[in-house]
Amino acid sequence: MRRKLAAGNWKMNGTTASLSEIEKLLETHPDPACDMLICPPATLISQMAWRCRTKALKIGAQDCHWNASGAHTGDISASMLADAGAMHVILGHSERRTDHGETDAMVAAKTGAAWAAGLVAVVCVGETERQRDLGATLAVVGAQIDSSLPDGATAENTVVAYEPVWAIGTGRTPTLAEIAEVHDFIRATLVGRFGEAAYGIRLLYGGSVKPSNAAEIFKTSNVDGALVGGASLKAADFGAIVDALAAA
Ligand code: PEP
């Protein structure tokens, strides 16, 4: 059985004033029947992790460098994130791939660095609208999985998030059949490469998940939870998504 995971990506949003949202979430969801993860900006990791140290909510990061240390102005290594209290790190988000030119090879190197620092890598894959229109979704996602995950992925060190680029922050989502098709394909791809143990790797759907559509998405084949952007910023919305997941 895979334990479900509701993960929030705060992106470049949040200051110390936003810590109250974490307090609210901890108050309303002290012991949910699924895992909860919030990935705030790096500036908030340490304060959030301290508040959550004995709680059901885990704190993660949104990116890391592939090197452990060195002359990389503005970057943060995986071991620094772990030192700040992060337990997970999102890697290969489409906004990083687009805004920072991150390639699958870079994502793979970052994933290896995350594992070496004891972090769980939440590796994101997903097609653009044009790629979907061309009928290339499975080929694109398959290639991203092959090249963004190094050898050695396990249920303990890796979560995969399927995030169609055209669904992120747009309010649009694929049909449930389209989500199921890609998630079943990702599961088969992972099992083909990493063996039976890959049945334990959690697959998250991401892209405009909100309280009103979460329950139906969570009934979909091979969906073990969600990576949530905008709707993770408010404790009430994220809490409603956690409730839907816990009930699925
Ligand atoms: C994301 O950025 O990972 C995401 C899924 O965003 P949103 O939920 O806002 O579409």
Side-chain angles (χ1 to χ4, degrees):
M1 267 303 274
R2 295 181 293 270
R3 189 167 158 89
K4 307 255 155 97
L5 171 63
N9 172 15
W10 278 20
K11 311 192 185 193
M12 198 171 70
N13 297 292
T15 59
T16 48
S18 327
L19 293 171
S20 61
E21 294 302 321
I22 294 301
E23 307 284 5
K24 278 186 224 161
L25 189 62
L26 290 172
E27 223 173 274
T28 54
H29 294 75
D31 190 20
C34 64
D35 289 343
M36 293 190 299
L37 167 70
I38 292 286
C39 301
T43 47
L44 292 177
I45 289 173
S46 169
Q47 293 183 75
M48 281 197 185
W50 175 252
R51 276 172 173 73
C52 298
R53 66 198 181 285
T54 59
K55 306 282 178 21
L57 176 61
K58 304 285 180 258
I59 300 302
Q62 300 174 17
D63 180 44
C64 70
H65 198 274
W66 51 82
N67 282 339
S69 63
H72 302 288
T73 303
D75 282 313
I76 304 178
S77 74
S79 57
M80 290 169 176
L81 296 172
D83 183 56
M87 299 180 76
H88 296 62
V89 59
I90 298 170
L91 295 172
H93 190 282
S94 72
E95 287 153 15
R96 301 254 0 138
R97 291 178 186 262
T98 304
D99 298 353
H100 299 271
E102 287 192 7
T103 62
D104 290 338
M106 291 177 190
V107 177
K110 289 177 178 210
T111 301
W115 293 347
L119 298 178
V120 177
V122 181
V123 177
C124 302
V125 296
E127 81 287 0
T128 63
E129 185 160 30
R130 181 163 162 71
Q131 289 165 336
R132 176 162 282 275
D133 289 347
L134 289 171
T137 298
L138 298 186
V140 167
V141 168
Q144 287 176 331
I145 294 273
D146 284 348
S147 307
S148 302
L149 287 179
D151 290 341
T154 67
E156 286 70 41
N157 65 19
T158 301
V159 171
V160 173
Y162 167 56
E163 299 206 304
V165 179
W166 53 273
I168 295 177
T170 60
R172 297 165 57 206
T173 53
T175 64
L176 299 181
E178 286 167 340
I179 295 175
E181 182 190 30
V182 179
H183 278 241
D184 290 350
F185 169 77
I186 292 175
R187 176 73 61 210
T189 304
L190 293 174
V191 171
R193 172 144 173 229
F194 300 109
E196 296 281 303
Y199 282 111
I201 296 178
R202 292 181 288 185
L203 306 186
L204 308 184
Y205 167 75
S208 297
V209 175
K210 42 192 187 249
S212 58
N213 64 12
E216 58 171 14
I217 290 173
F218 294 149
K219 285 192 206 123
T220 307
S221 171
N222 272 308
V223 173
D224 304 311
L227 180 54
V228 184
S232 69
L233 293 170
K234 290 282 165 226
D237 290 341
F238 191 67
I241 292 169
V242 169
D243 291 340
L245 186 58

mmCIF file of all heavy atoms in Angstrom, residues 10-18 41 43-44 233:
data_model
loop_
_atom_site.group_PDB
_atom_site.id
_atom_site.type_symbol
_atom_site.label_atom_id
_atom_site.label_comp_id
_atom_site.label_asym_id
_atom_site.label_seq_id
_atom_site.Cartn_x
_atom_site.Cartn_y
_atom_site.Cartn_z
ATOM 1 N N TRP A 10 4.812 26.345 -2.801
ATOM 2 C CA TRP A 10 4.478 27.767 -2.620
ATOM 3 C C TRP A 10 5.151 28.650 -3.667
ATOM 4 O O TRP A 10 4.878 29.836 -3.734
ATOM 5 C CB TRP A 10 4.874 28.219 -1.212
ATOM 6 C CG TRP A 10 3.859 27.871 -0.169
ATOM 7 C CD1 TRP A 10 2.885 26.921 -0.265
ATOM 8 C CD2 TRP A 10 3.706 28.472 1.125
ATOM 9 N NE1 TRP A 10 2.135 26.885 0.882
ATOM 10 C CE2 TRP A 10 2.622 27.823 1.765
ATOM 11 C CE3 TRP A 10 4.386 29.462 1.815
ATOM 12 C CZ2 TRP A 10 2.197 28.157 3.049
ATOM 13 C CZ3 TRP A 10 3.971 29.797 3.100
ATOM 14 C CH2 TRP A 10 2.886 29.157 3.706
ATOM 15 N N LYS A 11 6.047 28.092 -4.453
ATOM 16 C CA LYS A 11 6.764 28.881 -5.479
ATOM 17 C C LYS A 11 7.373 30.130 -4.817
ATOM 18 O O LYS A 11 7.789 30.075 -3.674
ATOM 19 C CB LYS A 11 5.833 29.230 -6.632
ATOM 20 C CG LYS A 11 5.053 28.024 -7.146
ATOM 21 C CD LYS A 11 4.365 28.296 -8.429
ATOM 22 C CE LYS A 11 3.508 27.100 -8.804
ATOM 23 N NZ LYS A 11 3.045 27.136 -10.172
ATOM 24 N N MET A 12 7.387 31.280 -5.527
ATOM 25 C CA MET A 12 8.009 32.490 -4.957
ATOM 26 C C MET A 12 6.948 33.318 -4.244
ATOM 27 O O MET A 12 6.694 34.475 -4.562
ATOM 28 C CB MET A 12 8.700 33.301 -6.064
ATOM 29 C CG MET A 12 9.722 34.295 -5.516
ATOM 30 S SD MET A 12 10.727 35.058 -6.804
ATOM 31 C CE MET A 12 9.534 36.098 -7.629
ATOM 32 N N ASN A 13 6.308 32.664 -3.278
ATOM 33 C CA ASN A 13 5.262 33.314 -2.493
ATOM 34 C C ASN A 13 5.499 33.009 -1.018
ATOM 35 O O ASN A 13 5.808 31.872 -0.665
ATOM 36 C CB ASN A 13 3.869 32.774 -2.869
ATOM 37 C CG ASN A 13 3.522 33.070 -4.312
ATOM 38 O OD1 ASN A 13 3.324 34.216 -4.691
ATOM 39 N ND2 ASN A 13 3.462 32.034 -5.130
ATOM 40 N N GLY A 14 5.300 34.021 -0.182
ATOM 41 C CA GLY A 14 5.353 33.785 1.261
ATOM 42 C C GLY A 14 6.479 34.525 1.947
ATOM 43 O O GLY A 14 7.608 34.563 1.468
ATOM 44 N N THR A 15 6.097 35.134 3.077
ATOM 45 C CA THR A 15 7.063 35.774 3.972
ATOM 46 C C THR A 15 6.748 35.266 5.373
ATOM 47 O O THR A 15 5.875 34.399 5.528
ATOM 48 C CB THR A 15 6.899 37.316 3.934
ATOM 49 O OG1 THR A 15 5.547 37.608 4.342
ATOM 50 C CG2 THR A 15 7.153 37.876 2.540
ATOM 51 N N THR A 16 7.395 35.820 6.370
ATOM 52 C CA THR A 16 7.131 35.319 7.723
ATOM 53 C C THR A 16 5.644 35.457 8.101
ATOM 54 O O THR A 16 5.149 34.674 8.898
ATOM 55 C CB THR A 16 8.002 36.055 8.766
ATOM 56 O OG1 THR A 16 7.913 37.458 8.531
ATOM 57 C CG2 THR A 16 9.450 35.631 8.672
ATOM 58 N N ALA A 17 4.953 36.413 7.479
ATOM 59 C CA ALA A 17 3.513 36.571 7.768
ATOM 60 C C ALA A 17 2.748 35.300 7.393
ATOM 61 O O ALA A 17 1.702 34.985 7.978
ATOM 62 C CB ALA A 17 2.957 37.769 7.008
ATOM 63 N N SER A 18 3.269 34.554 6.419
ATOM 64 C CA SER A 18 2.567 33.352 5.947
ATOM 65 C C SER A 18 2.723 32.167 6.901
ATOM 66 O O SER A 18 2.090 31.122 6.703
ATOM 67 C CB SER A 18 3.098 32.926 4.583
ATOM 68 O OG SER A 18 3.488 34.019 3.826
ATOM 69 N N PRO A 41 9.323 28.948 -0.065
ATOM 70 C CA PRO A 41 10.603 29.484 -0.538
ATOM 71 C C PRO A 41 11.701 29.140 0.477
ATOM 72 O O PRO A 41 11.406 28.960 1.669
ATOM 73 C CB PRO A 41 10.364 31.001 -0.574
ATOM 74 C CG PRO A 41 8.934 31.222 -0.331
ATOM 75 C CD PRO A 41 8.315 29.965 0.168
ATOM 76 N N THR A 43 13.744 30.794 2.011
ATOM 77 C CA THR A 43 13.861 31.710 3.149
ATOM 78 C C THR A 43 13.010 31.281 4.344
ATOM 79 O O THR A 43 13.257 31.713 5.462
ATOM 80 C CB THR A 43 13.412 33.123 2.726
ATOM 81 O OG1 THR A 43 12.176 33.000 2.010
ATOM 82 C CG2 THR A 43 14.451 33.784 1.826
ATOM 83 N N LEU A 44 11.995 30.447 4.111
ATOM 84 C CA LEU A 44 11.084 30.064 5.200
ATOM 85 C C LEU A 44 11.299 28.642 5.706
ATOM 86 O O LEU A 44 10.661 28.224 6.676
ATOM 87 C CB LEU A 44 9.624 30.216 4.740
ATOM 88 C CG LEU A 44 9.130 31.643 4.499
ATOM 89 C CD1 LEU A 44 7.692 31.635 3.986
ATOM 90 C CD2 LEU A 44 9.233 32.480 5.774
ATOM 91 N N LEU A 233 -1.492 27.721 -0.852
ATOM 92 C CA LEU A 233 -1.065 28.913 -0.115
ATOM 93 C C LEU A 233 -1.969 29.219 1.073
ATOM 94 O O LEU A 233 -1.556 29.868 2.028
ATOM 95 C CB LEU A 233 -1.035 30.130 -1.053
ATOM 96 C CG LEU A 233 0.031 30.074 -2.156
ATOM 97 C CD1 LEU A 233 -0.180 31.192 -3.164
ATOM 98 C CD2 LEU A 233 1.429 30.152 -1.553
#
